[in-house]
Amino acid sequence: MSEIEFGVDTFGGVTQDAQGIPVEHPQVIRDLIDDAVLADQLGLDFFGIGEHHRPDFAVSSPEMVLASIATLTKNIRLGSTVTVLSSDDPVRVYERFATLDAASNGRAEIVAGRGSFTESFPLFGYKLEDYEVLFEEKLDLLAKLVTEKPVTWEGSTRAGLRSQRVFPTTANGLRTWVGVGGSPESVIRTARHGFGLFLAIIGGSAQRFAPYVDLFERAQDEFGIPHKPVAVHSPGLVAPTDEEARELVHDGWLKMRTRMGQERGWPAPSPGDFEREIEHGALYVGSPETVAKKIAATLGVLKVNRFDFKYDQPVTHAAHQQSIGLYGEQVVPMVKDMIS
């Protein structure tokens, strides 16, 4: 990754039709396959899909959707954002993505994480009190598996392995990242295992994440590990004008923040929060020029190798397609000019 890449990603959030009625999950999945095809046609570098197990998100198996996308695209890299490793089996994760890598001719990536929701723990029979040990052990095993060498491993969360190989092998290895929300411990763990750092910046200014990028570099130096890439992921929507973009996003953003607050004990949004998050925080909403300036400013304060635009706001699919189109055709070229 010698120059900055630009991607898009989605959690597979349920969209709405022109009347504001939620779209059924099967159509949402078909629509985001179309989104990936458009992103590939626009020359974007990456398309990511997140794993969730709840009614407001349509995708519970990113690899299946990405495999469908692989047959319809040529160049764009394909990955999970994220795979909830804590409630999955690292061997199966490696096998599925190695298979995707073969089907896509070497374009697969893994972004492993603990996930921002916990529904998968009871769904797959895991205890929340094991939250930390599950992720630590499974990430350690995944780090050994992606070397594609015989693996010997012992842990408390699954059966051990003795000189075990896993298949299929890949042609050039699997680019692997760890999704991090912003804890120093997670950054150091990512460095120790030799993975790329995938920073999820979903609130507040990008500037406050600069110490994590510096910590990642220092930790790799201390561990004697060659520097791995850093990616940033933030939400937004591009429309022809600032006013149109804000109008499209506002109501859905307010409902989402209110719902998440009720689930997690956050305070309800205050008047002006939406505007402040656009002006000074992690919400990239506006015209192509507005969004391009904000991305360029982010790249000016963070030493990163890729910016991923999380485009799936609770709007219509047509608004998503318009947003991706404007991002690929106007925003990315403007950002490249600004940072050159």
Side-chain angles (χ1 to χ4, degrees), residues 200-262:
I201 304 180
I202 59 174
S205 70
Q207 177 68 51
R208 68 189 183 93
F209 284 81
Y212 296 112
V213 178
D214 293 339
L215 174 62
F216 186 56
E217 290 187 351
R218 295 199 311 271
Q220 290 174 109
D221 289 339
E222 290 191 16
F223 292 131
I225 293 173
H227 285 194
K228 302 298 181 179
V230 180
V232 169
H233 138 112
S234 288
L237 188 88
V238 191
T241 67
D242 289 346
E243 294 75 15
E244 183 178 345
R246 292 189 181 204
E247 183 178 354
L248 282 168
V249 174
H250 177 269
D251 290 352
W253 179 89
L254 187 63
K255 290 178 182 177
M256 180 273 295
R257 280 292 301 269
T258 301
R259 184 176 67 250
M260 293 298 99
Q262 292 170 346

Side-chain angles (χ1 to χ4, degrees), residues 179-187 198-200 208-209 212:
V180 173
S183 76
E185 295 80 11
S186 295
V187 172
F198 193 95
L199 283 171
R208 68 189 183 93
F209 284 81
Y212 296 112

Side-chain angles (χ1 to χ4, degrees), residues 3-20:
E3 59 183 41
I4 295 177
E5 296 181 348
F6 294 88
V8 289
D9 59 47
T10 171
F11 286 176
V14 170
T15 51
Q16 59 189 33
D17 63 18
Q19 288 71 47

